[in-house]
Amino acid sequence: IERGAQVVNLSLGGPADRLVARLIDAALARRIVVVAAVDRSAARGGFPASAAGVVAAIDEPASSAPAGTLVAPGRDVPTTVPPSRWATVSGASYAAAHVSGLLALVLELRGRSRGGEATHPARDIVVSADGRVDACASLARVRAACVCGCAATPGSESVARQ
């Protein structure tokens, strides 16, 4: 927060914590986007995903997720693991990282193309007909042109809690 982050990724979940809640409130007060992983075994997605103003992310739809939760890639994500090898990982934490990166790109493109609007960047996230985040269409919406070599997905719409 003190270093001027624009997006904070909380790929974690657990019991409500007063200090973390205060830090989230401080980040949101400074217009920092906070993204958290949904805990599908907890009511309303657990903490901090259910905190007001937090963008919730999950790797597959779940009835326990807060309204407006973004579904993003989080299954079989290739990554490096010790000692010097590759593996695939799965979970809402990886979906939260995906959403955090996409929101950072949205903010970057906004700064270049529209002077950084005051609306929450999650409003520019496009969700495809199958309910998943469409990164290419989201970036195309912000840039008003395709930026990733493909056309925006027909039937996509914006979804956001903010």
Side-chain angles (χ1 to χ4, degrees), residues 11 37 59 72-75 77 79 89-99:
S11 285
D59 56 330
R75 291 275 176 216
V77 177
T79 188
V89 293
S90 297
S93 292
Y94 304 102
H98 183 99
V99 169

Side-chain angles (χ1 to χ4, degrees), residues 24-61:
I24 290 170
D25 290 343
L28 295 172
R30 294 184 186 188
R31 298 175 43 91
I32 297 170
V33 179
V34 179
V35 180
V38 168
D39 178 352
R40 68 178 45 80
S41 67
R44 296 183 21 242
F47 179 83
S50 62
V54 171
V55 177
I58 196 165
D59 56 330
E60 58 187 39

Side-chain angles (χ1 to χ4, degrees), residues 31 106-119:
R31 298 175 43 91
V106 165
L107 287 168
E108 174 70 17
L109 287 174
R110 274 187 178 182
R112 291 182 186 171
S113 64
R114 294 196 269 177
E117 293 182 1
T119 60

